[in-house]
Amino acid sequence: MNDIATHSQGEALSERQQAVLDAVLALMVEQGDQLTMTAVARRASCSKETLYKWFGDRDGLLTATVQWQASKVRADNYDRQALDAATLRKSLRDFAENWLSVITSQTSIALNRAAIGHAASGKSNLGGIVLANGRFAIGERLKPVLEAGRAAGLLDFDDAETAFRTFFGLVGRDVQIRLLLGDALVSGKAEIQRDAARATDQFLTLHGRPKTAPKA
């Protein structure tokens, strides 16, 4: 279980709760933002009372769903005291691969399209939920890796948030916006691995110390 697979009360999700959240994601792919507790209960083969008990309300269910989706983007475990250039590079590359795999999935595309629509119309707080538990939470997950790299003399930057945003931009480029707008962009495993490796090299060229930056 990873560190963000929790529901709104902060407790670890059970396998049954995870299955419910997968049902929510599947419904969003099929139906967009036309999501009701009744439809979720029917798809997940549970009662609405159980959903309210576990997640509180619709916003609580959506928050847990976003957290569950975002939990797939994670940084590798590493020994801060023994961090070297190869380990740092691998951690950044793996994080980039995780993130690209998530944002190019049909579930993520559907979730973000719904969030954008709700943010524009004021229909619900889904936009805020996705922002807080997606982009911002993911940033807080990677910034300790960047700071550990700086402490080990492998990276050079003034501000961790700025460095993260640079890495975020190099990894994501225009991929997410193109997918959200309906572009039939092919992002298979090989393409994702290539793009993640390229973004990592570019970031280390910008912020890596001489022993970390790619050879010219």
Side-chain angles (χ1 to χ4, degrees):
M1 185 74 62
N2 53 57
D3 61 348
I4 118 167
T6 59
H7 59 66
S8 56
Q9 282 70 45
E11 300 171 1
L13 290 168
S14 68
E15 289 186 7
R16 187 71 184 93
Q17 290 168 331
Q18 292 173 20
V20 169
L21 300 182
D22 284 337
V24 174
L25 291 169
L27 283 169
M28 295 195 81
V29 171
E30 296 171 12
Q31 303 175 11
D33 64 352
Q34 304 303 312
L35 188 73
T36 66
M37 298 295 265
T38 299
V40 174
R42 184 181 302 115
R43 174 63 65 91
S45 300
C46 67
S47 67
K48 286 197 294 183
E49 289 74 14
T50 297
L51 295 180
Y52 286 117
K53 177 182 177 181
W54 283 346
F55 304 107
D57 56 17
R58 188 175 183 273
D59 273 0
L61 177 62
L62 290 172
T63 298
T65 302
V66 174
Q67 289 176 336
W68 174 234
Q69 179 73 354
S71 72
K72 298 164 189 175
V73 184
R74 54 195 177 274
D76 287 345
N77 294 324
Y78 60 93
D79 182 353
R80 187 184 181 97
Q81 302 304 317
L83 185 63
D84 59 18
T87 303
L88 176 63
R89 180 184 296 277
K90 181 179 184 303
S91 186
L92 293 175
R93 187 181 65 243
D94 289 351
F95 186 93
E97 284 186 26
N98 284 164
W99 186 60
L100 283 171
S101 295
V102 169
I103 66 168
T104 57
S105 69
Q106 290 302 309
T107 51
S108 182
I109 294 167
L111 187 58
N112 279 282
R113 281 175 176 162
I116 292 167
H118 283 224
S121 67
K123 184 176 180 181
S124 79
N125 191 38
L126 182 58
I129 291 170
V130 169
L131 191 58
N133 294 283
R135 155 63 181 89
F136 291 155
I138 288 168
E140 293 308 307
R141 212 166 303 150
L142 185 66
K143 282 188 281 187
V145 179
L146 301 178
E147 290 168 342
R150 179 172 61 181
L154 302 171
L155 294 175
D156 183 18
F157 57 84
D158 294 326
D159 178 70
E161 173 65 17
T162 301
F164 169 75
R165 291 176 68 183
T166 298
F167 184 66
F168 194 81
L170 291 170
V171 175
R173 298 169 296 125
D174 64 348
V175 170
Q176 190 171 38
I177 188 63
R178 288 173 63 182
L179 291 170
L180 290 173
L181 294 174
D183 191 357
L185 191 62
V186 176
S187 296
K189 184 175 181 179
E191 288 82 10
I192 286 173
Q193 289 176 337
R194 179 199 64 208
D195 290 346
R198 180 188 295 123
T200 300
D201 282 347
Q202 290 170 339
F203 180 78
L204 292 176
T205 297
L206 290 170
H207 291 290
R209 295 283 190 177
K211 61 184 176 181
T212 313
K215 297 292 188 295

